[in-house]
Amino acid sequence: MADYGIAAPHGPDMSGRHPSMVNPHFSMNEDEARVFSQLLKPDDSYDENGVYWADLGWFKRAKFVAKTDGAEGKRELGNLWQMIKKDPLSPVSFYFRNMVLPGAGLGLEGYVLFSIGNLKPLFQKGFPSCWGTKAGQGEACSPTWLAAIEYMEIVGIIFGQIGVGIVGDWLGRRWGLIQDATIMFLGLSMWGVTLNGWIICYVWALFFYGVGVGGEYPMTATSGMENAVGSGKISTKEDRLHRGRKVTSAFLMQGWGQFFNQVILILLLLIFHHGSGNPSYSKIAVQWTFRVSFAIPAVGTLWLVYYRTYKMRSASRQLQLQKKKSNVTGYDTQSLKMTFTHFGGRVLATAGAWFMNDVFFYGNKLFQSEFISVVTSNSTSIMPGWLYNLINVGVSLCGYYLASFLIDNKLYGRKNMQTVGFMMDFILFVIPAFNLEYYTSAAHIKEFQTMYFLSSFFNQFGPNSVTFLTAAEVYPTAVRATAHGFSAAVGKLGALTAAVLYNYIDTQTKFYVVPWFGLAGVVLSVVFLPDTTGLDLKEQERRWAFIRAGRGHEYHGVAVNPKHLSLWERMRGLGKQYDPELDYAQRVQEMRAEWEVLMQDKVDEKAGALDQADWDDLDHEFSHEVQEYFKKTSKSPALAGQERQAPLNGQGLDDSDGTIDEKRAV
């Protein structure tokens, strides 16, 4: 049968603007245009005149977004109310299923990873012969190994992000998710005969755990994003309106991990220190507090291994379909090479901005005890510092949730959120940097605290959430995990920079150094980051199919709308390819090609009949009106007058050779 795939993208012209593209055997009247508009111009992205939302003037765009978001909000509230009436606890189970479980790995990662900054002052108080008042001053432990605690885990994370990212694109998302959970579980075991031996074991355990942590980033981002898309060719409303929220809601579990770690440490210290949080702290109390706090995530991680093994069997479906479409069986090295060729500016944006962000983020978290000590300088107890950190994490969680609420808003969205967040962090650090003594004085300490907490808020309601999303979103499915892992690894080099540098400079110098990374993040965001807010993810895949076929200049869809391109890409002229009317004609032709492939399966002697899943996908992709239209204008006489043929005895076809699935993926 003829190949109706991307090799022949041009279809009928509904406007008459491109006579050379017109199919002489095909025309479309107003009723036919209405049929296709249902699928090709959904009302959440196009106004009543069929104009894409990004092509509207600012006032009309604001009105359209308010109307669309208002209707969607009303629908979701209505669904919530129906759930509550049926079962008052059902919203809790819904949130747990759709937000908590997808981000469970990051929650456990946040719990363990940021425990280092929380435990450091406790170890210093409980083991002065090892830690001393500052790491490295004790006589019982090696200063080199003590310093390694704070950066070896980051090195492990970098290994995991790159390695597991490649595995996720090679073997699949599900395998990467299982591997991550297993590695993290094994990495939570540590012991030692002497204090220094325990420190060495602690370092290597955190390194090994970090490998699993690193893999969580690309696996959680890609699997969460692709699960929101659906299995068909036509994208879903959920993807267009809530893709960012879905991914960010999983990512914010990292914040809850930090929160619960701090709460549990406070409770455990009170339990094992006879109900008091005041010094002096016995070695037994410190050890029990530390050990039990690490046993809790070990149990959770073991359960995560089970859940991902037996409950996430379809996590790799989107990747498998894309590989079949591209006729790739292993790792798609061609797509990787072409990604750096065609999306080099995006790599610079996602990796560079993540580097700048992590100097802020990990600098604060790994060394938060030093920052908070400025406002608790008169206390010898670790409790005030822990309580201040708990407030700081609570403020960060507010930033996470506000980010998930606004990240899909077409008037604000990803790019603005990241740019504003970087700018606010720059301002909130540069103000005290040049007058730190003034702001840390007793008369102005409240202003200093406010700026510190606000910097945490805007870090989450900005670059920390956006970098996690866009590092997967702006790349094709075939190399999405690799690109995300690479960007995250470059980001962790920023964390490593902070971990090493902050060991040698005082608090005042930290404030001199940090602000400029925020300003650099603003520049990278403005120049190189495309704004994918409201962009259909499958439309990006469609553009990538043209690029991979060496015909990127023939793509004219919304993925090259100037709104969805970076300043760098617009300067290179990519936005000039955008032509909504010609693209509409192309999409109709592509829909026809896919429909005819499915219909040909129906009459093909080898196939015989499609299974129920194939027919369900067909009904989802093409409305009854569209199917009737294609029947009337079909190019294949063999399809004329054919009626739907249900599977025999409820059984589908034997597709062991992948024939049907391969055709569906074309």
Side-chain angles (χ1 to χ4, degrees), residues 545-663:
F546 277 84
I547 292 174
R548 200 177 187 281
R551 303 169 61 221
H553 62 283
E554 296 182 19
Y555 173 81
H556 306 290
V558 294
V560 291
N561 185 299
K563 170 67 178 175
H564 297 309
L565 297 175
S566 67
L567 176 61
W568 173 253
E569 289 170 332
R570 294 197 300 273
M571 290 171 62
R572 296 171 58 207
L574 290 179
K576 296 178 181 179
Q577 294 176 202
Y578 178 56
D579 188 330
E581 294 184 7
L582 179 56
D583 179 65
Y584 190 83
Q586 291 177 335
R587 293 170 72 191
V588 171
Q589 180 72 357
E590 290 166 12
M591 285 178 62
R592 175 196 293 278
E594 181 167 346
W595 183 86
E596 291 204 359
V597 168
L598 288 168
M599 289 297 97
Q600 190 64 42
D601 280 339
K602 183 178 178 181
V603 297
D604 192 299
E605 291 182 0
K606 181 178 181 180
L610 299 179
D611 64 19
Q612 189 63 47
D614 288 306
W615 285 116
D616 290 343
D617 277 355
L618 180 62
D619 287 340
H620 172 72
E621 297 288 358
F622 309 113
S623 67
H624 177 73
E625 289 180 290
V626 172
Q627 294 186 51
E628 289 300 315
Y629 175 79
F630 281 151
K631 283 182 181 179
K632 294 176 183 178
T633 61
S634 175
K635 298 177 182 178
S636 173
L639 302 181
Q642 294 290 331
E643 299 298 328
R644 173 168 171 162
Q645 190 174 351
L648 299 176
N649 302 321
Q651 299 297 317
L653 291 177
D654 177 10
D655 192 34
S656 57
D657 63 355
T659 303
I660 298 175
D661 224 355
E662 183 175 357
K663 289 182 179 179

Side-chain angles (χ1 to χ4, degrees), residues 125 277-279 281 376-384:
K125 299 286 186 180
N278 298 321
Y281 306 102
T376 59
S377 55
N378 296 324
S379 175
T380 58
S381 172
I382 65 171
M383 278 297 180

